[in-house]
Amino acid sequence: QSVEFFLLGFGEPICISAQHNRNRDQLLHQIGKILPESRPQPEDPILKLAIVGRRNTGKSTFINKYSKRSNG
């Protein structure tokens, strides 16, 4: 199934499961690699993120789980 996302041309997809904590560390590691070491924080932080997948596959579960973790 990840082949379909690879064909979009954004590089190697990382298949994750928020519900089962599958590949979470791999995702965070890849995000950390592309972020700069440090930079000034903007007044209003902006995050551009795309969560893609088929219907009823846990996209909202992923966003809800990790957005709550980062906010508190």
Side-chain angles (χ1 to χ4, degrees):
Q1 294 177 6
S2 65
V3 172
E4 296 172 23
F5 297 112
F6 181 76
L7 294 175
L8 294 173
F10 295 112
E12 186 71 29
I14 301 172
C15 299
I16 61 168
S17 170
Q19 187 173 15
H20 301 289
N21 289 325
R22 187 174 305 131
N23 291 335
R24 176 184 176 267
D25 292 335
Q26 181 183 359
L27 174 65
L28 294 176
H29 176 74
Q30 291 298 323
I31 291 171
K33 283 174 44 177
I34 62 173
L35 293 176
E37 288 290 326
S38 64
R39 67 178 191 193
Q41 295 293 320
E43 289 182 27
D44 294 321
I46 298 172
L47 173 66
K48 294 182 181 182
L49 177 67
I51 305 296
V52 295
R54 295 181 180 177
R55 191 176 358 194
N56 298 319
T57 55
K59 296 178 297 292
S60 295
T61 301
F62 173 79
I63 293 296
N64 291 334
K65 182 172 183 176
Y66 293 111
S67 67
K68 289 177 186 174
R69 178 173 284 183
S70 65
N71 289 332

